[in-house]
Amino acid sequence: MDFLLKKVFEQQRLTKIEIKQIAEQMFEGELTESQIAGFLMALKHQGETAEEMAGLAETLQTKAMKIACTRTNVMDNCGTGGDQSGSFNISTTSAFVLAAGGVTVAKHGNRSISSKSGSADIFEHLGVDIALSPEKLSTVLNEVGLAFLFAPHMHPKMSYVMKVRRELATPTILNLIGPLTNPVFLDSQLMGTYRRDLLEETAKTLKDLGRKRAVVINGAGGLDEASLAGTTHYSLLENGKISLHTVEPEELGFSKTSLKAIQGGNSKRNTEILLSILKNQPSAYLDTVIVNAGFGFFTNGKVKTIQEGILLAKDCVASGAAFDKLQQLIQVQKEVS
């Protein structure tokens, strides 16, 4: 193990097998905090590769709680966070729209990283129990077609690195792989990232992890979501091939909107924003969710284009189906608790 760590510290690339050997010891508490910190910062300094991200993600998945899902074509729309935008909970709100449109969403998430309120904080404020047993979560996911999987609850082995992550106070490869470690097998994935330079590498990682379709997205201003503030960059994994694309708000039928217009607040404020969106109240918040849900439908293969996805997202909100999906989730959660 010392030999492998030395390779990392000397800026040498590791194979997937080698990175998994280090990850195995790291997630079993067999590395010191100094070794973990050095390892994470060395990878950050030289730039993370698809092999390294896939190796870490696969190792963590083997140690995660198991969630049984009988549904097919399951997806997640979790982002890395870390964009420092202070935006409201875009992917969380979009998940209700996607589920209303017939997509099964295993929503992986955590507490706040770059905003004042993370997805876990919102679900808690809505009255959703974020610490259900795997059996109860399976029931919710299979019945509702949407469940929230609280990352620290799903991945108890992450406890071995949490102190180091807090003390480093900077995003590392562990932030990048967070959305890659969903304990439910995913057929498709819409993944936001704050690292535009890793759009292609992240798509390669998703391919390695077995996704059939995937979109990795980075919005204007470095947002880990599709943004109406300017150009959105994304990579598309389709039929085993990866391509890079850009899209402007005008191409999607929207005017440019500043990032200030989608600022969030604490969990109470962000929950108010979520409810206003699901009740179809016009705003930059609503438009942003419609675009991101549109990307989600496209990613899942529900529609052939992002524009068609946007039309479906608008219908899911305007019809009240997205709000009804929220009510269904709350009701089923109460029944199984």
Side-chain angles (χ1 to χ4, degrees):
M1 186 53 56
D2 288 343
F3 167 72
L4 292 180
L5 287 173
K6 184 179 179 183
K7 281 187 68 174
V8 179
F9 299 153
E10 292 178 351
Q11 302 292 290
Q12 297 181 50
R13 289 295 179 192
L14 297 179
T15 65
K16 187 176 178 181
I17 293 175
E18 289 174 331
I19 202 85
K20 290 178 82 168
Q21 289 176 322
I22 293 178
E24 181 66 32
Q25 292 208 356
M26 182 168 68
F27 295 130
E28 290 298 335
E30 296 171 7
L31 296 184
T32 67
E33 291 179 356
S34 296
Q35 287 174 320
I36 294 171
F39 169 67
L40 295 176
M41 294 309 294
L43 290 184
K44 182 181 178 72
H45 180 71
Q46 65 179 329
E48 302 84 353
T49 67
E51 272 197 295
E52 291 163 349
M53 288 190 284
L56 279 170
E58 283 184 1
T59 303
L60 196 54
Q61 278 181 313
T62 63
K63 300 177 182 298
M65 289 187 178
K66 308 304 178 189
I67 309 297
C69 182
T70 58
R71 289 172 171 252
T72 58
N73 201 10
V74 184
M75 79 171 291
D76 188 10
N77 68 333
C78 177
T80 59
D83 60 17
Q84 306 302 316
S85 68
S87 60
F88 74 106
N89 301 91
I90 299 169
S91 64
T92 301
T93 312
S94 299
F96 292 102
V97 183
L98 291 169
V103 176
T104 301
V105 184
K107 182 70 178 78
H108 201 218
N110 210 329
R111 296 196 184 278
S112 171
I113 296 176
S114 59
S115 61
K116 295 179 181 178
S117 175
S119 53
D121 305 297
I122 294 297
F123 278 104
E124 276 189 324
H125 203 80
L126 288 167
V128 172
D129 185 352
I130 66 172
L132 288 179
S133 68
E135 294 76 19
K136 291 180 178 179
L137 275 173
S138 296
T139 299
V140 173
L141 180 59
N142 292 320
E143 186 170 337
V144 181
L146 169 65
F148 177 66
L149 311 179
F150 184 40
H153 185 50
M154 295 294 100
H155 303 287
K157 297 293 186 178
M158 281 292 286
S159 61
Y160 290 113
V161 300
M162 291 311 297
K163 184 172 183 289
V164 172
R165 292 183 73 186
R166 285 194 296 268
E167 291 179 350
L168 288 177
T170 185
T172 67
I173 193 171
L174 295 178
N175 296 79
L176 300 174
I177 70 163
L180 304 172
T181 59
N182 197 307
V184 176
F185 178 79
L186 304 176
D187 298 278
S188 59
Q189 184 162 0
L190 172 62
M191 177 178 164
T193 179
Y194 67 94
R195 290 281 299 277
R196 185 172 298 168
D197 60 310
L198 287 179
L199 286 176
E200 188 171 8
E201 282 297 308
T202 306
K204 289 179 182 177
T205 307
L206 288 165
K207 179 182 177 181
D208 194 355
L209 293 172
R211 308 294 190 264
K212 295 174 184 176
R213 281 180 63 85
V215 168
V216 186
I217 199 165
N218 177 269
L223 203 68
D224 70 329
E225 313 276 359
S227 170
L228 293 177
T231 307
T232 289
H233 297 251
Y234 67 97
S235 58
L236 169 65
L237 168 63
E238 184 178 37
N239 298 321
K241 297 181 179 179
I242 296 168
S243 53
L244 296 174
H245 307 267
T246 61
V247 66
E248 302 294 333
E250 294 82 0
E251 295 177 67
L252 302 176
F254 295 89
S255 300
K256 281 191 173 65
T257 306
S258 72
L259 290 179
K260 288 184 179 180
I262 59 168
Q263 289 291 295
N266 58 22
S267 59
K268 181 178 183 295
R269 172 57 182 151
N270 282 5
T271 301
E272 292 171 350
I273 293 171
L274 179 149
L275 292 173
S276 75
I277 293 166
L278 298 186
K279 291 178 181 178
N280 201 31
Q281 296 175 11
S283 67
Y285 299 117
L286 172 62
D287 291 345
T288 299
V289 165
I290 292 297
V291 169
N292 279 277
F295 262 99
F297 285 128
F298 170 67
T299 301
N300 184 257
K302 193 80 174 177
V303 296
K304 293 183 179 179
T305 67
I306 300 166
Q307 287 82 355
E308 288 178 13
I310 286 172
L311 292 176
L312 177 55
K314 286 181 177 179
D315 182 63
C316 288
V317 176
S319 68
F323 185 77
D324 289 345
K325 185 59 67 173
L326 167 62
Q327 300 306 310
Q328 183 189 11
L329 175 66
I330 293 172
Q331 181 59 38
V332 173
Q333 283 263 168
K334 288 179 179 177
E335 292 172 0
V336 302
S337 295

